[in-house]
Amino acid sequence: MLKWYLIEGLRNLGHAVHYVCLDEKILRPAQQEMYARLSEYVSKIGAVLTYRENLSDKDETEIYKNMIQEFAPDFLLCYNVRPVELLEGYKTEIKRVIISIDLDHLPSFYRVSEELLHGSLKVKWSALKQLVPVLLGAYHYRRDLISHFKKADLLINHAANHADWLREHTGRRTLYVPNPVGGRSVIGDPIFRWAPVSPPRFLLVGNFNGIATLSGFYFFVQKVMPYLCEVLDAGKLEIHILGKGGIEPRIKKVLDRKGIFWPGFIEDPLPEYEKACAMVVPTPIKLGFRTRILDAFRYGLPVIAHSANALGFPEMKHRINCLMTDNGQEMAIQMIELAENEKLRNEIYKNSLNEFNSNVSADHTCRKIVEFLKT
């Protein structure tokens, strides 16, 4: 969907877009279905979609060259380094731009670090055995990432701290903009009516297998939960956990208690958003960009987050458009405060929604990208 909002945002600004997806593998049925839907969306806004599968490097390179000659684009926006690698040495005036979110060498490093610090004995032992290979892999990923990204003319990254790192280590002009989300859409924005229920409901959202969500669970269970047991037992607030994937039994055991509910994966989370007091994002690691926070801003749903998340999304402002802390007890206090303070809830609702609509929606993101590419 992020690519879709980028395509649509550029079309809303009047730019011609040709979306090309080439894959060396045979697409799975689910991928084929996704591209069929995307093709329908793209045609509605006057863009073009081309996708091919089961390609050799030579075939893929020739397709890129032919399309460049046929369409003569001003810029080649790449969501991975492969097109830039394949076109290395190809003489063209077209600027090659790599768009990224995470830095490839960080997720595996953070995963093994978090498991060593917070996992069960079994998990810690497994992480310890992986430590040396992971560190070596992170070193090689880091080296290769710098080498690959230097081959681009310009860089765009959707996390502010990662954009700073890329600018420093590659010497390339680098733009930070949030992930493109929302904006004017032919898909149509759903009607959102925020009406928090009683008792106040707090959401934890994510892919339980992802390191961002997993590290957040470690922090929440160990640092926040000890200060919430009393209010949960008294029925003064609830926690609803939305997402999919396996979760470590030790964590699940702590969270299987009165006041905590597991709706699991929900195709459309908006009804849960409408009933919630706030979304809690306890991810404590300095990795990437939490799109779930931007999505909450899109609807004005208040957010309580670990302050590490503001490194990637500096538009977050404590006690203005969200609440933030790096302390578990303070996060519990903030949840209780927001549950009891309707005025504060409404102020954060209004300010986060205004921040989204005036600065960080897909239309604004795409406008900043175009300005960056033109200068």
Side-chain angles (χ1 to χ4, degrees), residues 228-297:
L228 291 177
C229 292
E230 185 176 335
V231 290
L232 286 169
D233 288 337
K236 293 182 178 180
L237 61 82
E238 295 178 354
I239 297 168
H240 287 230
I241 301 174
L242 279 62
K244 60 181 178 180
I247 190 166
E248 189 178 329
R250 193 169 57 107
I251 296 176
K252 186 77 162 55
K253 184 177 180 180
V254 175
L255 295 175
D256 273 341
R257 65 171 336 276
K258 182 179 179 180
I260 298 182
F261 302 86
W262 294 79
F265 175 72
I266 298 176
E267 188 72 35
D268 179 12
L270 282 193
E272 286 282 348
Y273 284 19
E274 289 179 328
K275 298 172 187 175
C277 174
M279 180 185 293
V280 181
V281 186
T283 302
I285 57 177
K286 303 170 184 178
L287 175 67
F289 182 93
R290 303 283 77 75
T291 304
R292 72 198 73 166
I293 296 177
L294 182 59
D295 204 41
F297 274 42

Side-chain angles (χ1 to χ4, degrees), residues 61-123:
T61 304
E62 285 305 309
I63 291 174
Y64 283 130
K65 289 179 180 179
N66 291 337
M67 287 189 168
I68 288 171
Q69 291 171 4
E70 180 180 354
F71 297 104
D74 297 302
F75 299 96
L76 187 66
L77 305 182
C78 309
Y79 261 97
N80 58 60
V81 301
R82 187 169 172 80
V84 175
E85 289 275 288
L86 293 174
L87 291 171
E88 186 177 9
Y90 179 63
K91 300 297 182 183
T92 176
E93 297 300 316
I94 297 168
K95 290 284 192 296
R96 304 166 204 200
V97 186
I98 295 177
I99 304 176
S100 57
I101 303 175
D102 290 337
L103 300 179
D104 288 346
H105 61 289
L106 292 179
S108 58
F109 171 76
Y110 273 122
R111 179 175 293 278
V112 75
S113 300
E114 288 292 304
E115 290 176 347
L116 281 171
L117 286 170
H118 306 296
S120 63
L121 286 177
K122 182 179 179 180
V123 170

Side-chain angles (χ1 to χ4, degrees), residues 210-221:
I211 184 55
T213 302
L214 178 62
S215 65
F217 272 128
Y218 283 141
F219 181 87
F220 192 80
V221 165

